[in-house]
Amino acid sequence: MFLDFFYLLRAKGLEVSINEWMTLMEALDKGLAGSSLLGFYHLCRSILIKSESEYDKFDSVFAEYFKDVQTPEDLPEQFWKWLSDGERERDLDDHGNAEDVYRELEELLQMFRDRIEEQKEKHHGGNYWIGTGGTSPMGRGGYNKQGIRVGGTGRHRSAVQIAGERNFKDFRQDKILDIRQFQMAFRKLRQYSSRVDGLKTELDIDKTVDETCENAGMLKIVYDKPRKNTVKLLLLIDSDGSMLPYSRLCNRLFQAVSRSNHFKDLQVYYFHNAIYDNLYTTPYCKIRDSVETNWVFNKLDSDYKVIFVGDASMAPSELYRPGGNATIGLFNRETGMEWFQKFKKRFKKQIWLNPVEKRTWEWTYGSETIMAIKEVFPMFELTLDGLEAGIRKLLVK
């Protein structure tokens, strides 16, 4: 049952095991989905999905697979009016006897579609039409131990509609980050150098384990001199223009970095599209708030780890031509690409974080300059997964 759905889940990167799928089939056999696609949606998610970070992927696959399925939640508006009227009236027909027949979900849904085509008026009681009371397997307020209940809270939101709303986008690890997620990722940028002179006050876990093993399992704690944090970070953020849609995201990143205590030194500057003779101390990129790029080179040593943040999208002339600087009143004799190459030579480690979705880099607006800058700096998508991969790149010796 639903094997194509199983294979689609696997194809889209969701790790659904055979055991989990058989558990779902067992739950369906016991009627835990309630003969409803909405019930099936919640049952699937609770059994197959292990983390809320995967909910959005599941919703995407569910909406894709079941998009053409008509369900009780998709009733025409006239039926909802009939059902609402029926709740305010007494049953008009004899209830008859409830059928003691087991039906598969697919059969019930087909019966439901047939009734929608046939029924021309509201109905209360009885054992056939969609209505209230009675023993029909379709409707509400009556009795049938196995059927489709129509109505209730959120009646206009079908399972496909709920999945299509993609309410769990922010839970994904490959999507936009909040400040806390940024901070958690930057913790991995911690790096330590030589031991601080002084008393041995820091627990050395590795040596403690080794010494305990050598001591026949009797605990032997080993201390060492503490280390000091030596991470020095230069953060360069593209501002204004095509970066405006990502301004909130960049602001979160800036706040996370500013609040972090994992760096020996943090320097933040801004640029617009490409880097030229000047960098800026504010995101407004005004000349009065600028410093010479060469001054930054002279001020910072080569051990600073450099993170560029920008969409890398611009007119090719801004990257390749003298005078390509888009800021009125400023003329660059050296091209933006030449300046980027200078950064490449000046500092040992650099990465570029791009808020544009990676899958679009080769064809979106500015793809030519994106791919050119990608050849200079290792480029990662500005998501949690991308940021963690970039940090690993910075830490490689």
Side-chain angles (χ1 to χ4, degrees):
M1 186 186 296
F2 301 120
L3 271 179
D4 289 342
F5 181 51
F6 170 72
Y7 290 129
L8 185 60
L9 288 167
R10 296 282 292 266
K12 297 294 185 179
L14 288 163
E15 297 179 358
V16 179
S17 70
I18 296 296
N19 286 339
E20 290 164 344
W21 187 255
M22 294 309 297
T23 300
L24 174 63
M25 294 301 103
E26 183 180 353
L28 286 175
D29 188 55
K30 292 181 178 180
L32 298 185
S35 299
S36 161
L37 190 61
L38 184 58
F40 178 69
Y41 164 81
H42 288 295
L43 186 66
C44 275
R45 199 179 70 185
S46 64
I47 294 175
L48 304 180
I49 308 305
K50 307 170 187 65
S51 169
E52 56 272 5
S53 65
E54 301 291 331
Y55 280 3
D56 186 62
K57 284 184 182 179
F58 173 76
D59 281 357
S60 177
V61 176
F62 191 96
E64 177 182 341
Y65 185 81
F66 291 101
K67 63 180 182 297
D68 296 322
V69 175
Q70 292 288 322
T71 71
E73 294 89 353
D74 301 322
L75 265 180
E77 187 62 34
Q78 183 61 43
F79 278 79
W80 293 114
K81 184 176 185 303
W82 292 341
L83 290 169
S84 298
D85 291 342
E87 288 181 335
R88 295 189 294 271
E89 301 177 16
R90 292 182 177 274
D91 292 345
L92 302 179
D93 299 332
D94 294 333
H95 287 185
N97 296 317
E99 294 179 278
D100 190 16
V101 178
Y102 178 79
R103 294 186 176 91
E104 295 285 354
L105 176 59
E106 289 87 347
E107 182 184 355
L108 282 167
L109 290 174
Q110 183 58 51
M111 289 174 59
F112 190 80
R113 287 190 286 267
D114 293 343
R115 298 295 189 278
I116 291 175
E117 293 296 324
E118 298 172 22
Q119 191 164 336
K120 304 302 179 185
E121 60 184 8
K122 64 183 178 181
H123 197 82
H124 311 303
N127 61 8
Y128 186 81
W129 299 110
I130 301 170
T132 58
T135 59
S136 170
M138 290 155 288
R140 70 167 175 256
Y143 170 78
N144 192 301
K145 63 183 180 182
Q146 193 246 173
I148 298 175
R149 183 182 186 278
V150 180
T153 303
R155 69 187 187 197
H156 293 296
R157 297 172 69 239
S158 70
V160 176
Q161 288 172 325
I162 291 173
E165 289 175 356
R166 308 286 295 281
N167 293 313
F168 297 93
K169 284 183 178 180
D170 291 342
F171 288 75
R172 292 181 66 144
Q173 292 211 121
D174 58 345
K175 293 301 174 186
I176 286 179
L177 302 157
D178 60 24
I179 294 174
R180 181 178 176 277
Q181 288 173 310
F182 273 127
Q183 289 176 315
M184 294 298 290
F186 274 116
R187 285 186 183 180
K188 298 181 181 181
L189 195 53
R190 286 180 292 189
Q191 180 179 314
Y192 300 92
S193 64
S194 59
R195 300 284 180 179
V196 177
D197 291 334
L199 299 176
K200 294 182 177 182
T201 58
E202 184 178 275
L203 176 64
D204 190 320
I205 296 177
D206 291 336
K207 289 184 179 179
T208 295
V209 172
D210 291 340
E211 291 296 326
T212 299
C213 292
E214 292 291 334
N215 197 32
M218 296 294 290
L219 180 63
K220 186 174 182 180
I221 298 177
V222 179
Y223 290 95
D224 203 346
K225 297 177 181 178
R227 294 180 182 271
K228 60 180 179 181
N229 196 330
T230 60
V231 174
K232 294 180 287 188
L233 180 65
L234 171 59
L235 183 64
L236 300 166
I237 304 175
D238 187 1
S239 181
D240 210 0
S242 59
M243 282 295 291
L244 283 176
Y246 311 109
S247 57
R248 291 182 62 187
L249 178 60
C250 291
N251 184 54
R252 292 172 189 160
L253 182 145
F254 174 76
Q255 290 186 55
V257 173
S258 299
R259 296 175 187 178
S260 176
N261 59 358
H262 308 313
F263 312 117
K264 179 180 180 181
D265 187 41
L266 171 66
Q267 298 289 324
V268 182
Y269 295 99
Y270 300 86
F271 64 97
H272 178 54
N273 287 348
I275 290 178
Y276 305 109
D277 304 68
N278 296 282
L279 291 168
Y280 302 90
T281 57
T282 71
Y284 306 107
C285 295
K286 300 295 184 182
I287 297 176
R288 64 175 179 270
D289 299 320
S290 66
V291 296
E292 291 186 2
T293 308
N294 279 324
W295 178 82
V296 175
F297 281 169
N298 294 329
K299 174 185 174 185
L300 308 180
D301 61 55
S302 62
D303 288 333
Y304 275 79
K305 301 184 187 302
V306 183
I307 299 179
F308 294 89
V309 181
D311 59 6
S313 302
M314 67 197 82
S317 59
E318 294 181 77
L319 190 61
Y320 294 116
R321 291 177 57 182
N325 192 336
T327 304
I328 297 175
L330 294 179
F331 182 89
N332 57 293
R333 297 187 181 279
E334 295 175 283
T335 67
M337 181 57 78
E338 288 173 327
W339 278 107
F340 283 138
Q341 293 288 357
K342 284 186 177 183
F343 272 89
K344 179 78 171 180
K345 294 177 181 178
R346 180 70 181 89
F347 299 101
K348 296 176 181 178
K349 295 289 183 179
Q350 321 89 17
I351 62 169
W352 189 292
L353 298 176
N354 196 325
V356 177
E357 289 187 85
K358 183 177 181 178
R359 62 182 179 85
T360 70
W361 288 354
E362 294 186 3
W363 55 264
T364 191
Y365 165 77
S367 60
E368 179 181 343
T369 55
I370 291 175
M371 301 312 291
I373 292 174
K374 184 174 178 291
E375 290 297 314
V376 181
F377 305 110
M379 187 176 288
F380 302 89
E381 189 176 358
L382 187 49
T383 62
L384 185 56
D385 288 343
L387 179 56
E388 290 184 350
I391 287 174
R392 286 196 298 271
K393 183 71 174 178
L394 289 175
L395 293 178
V396 172
K397 293 183 179 180

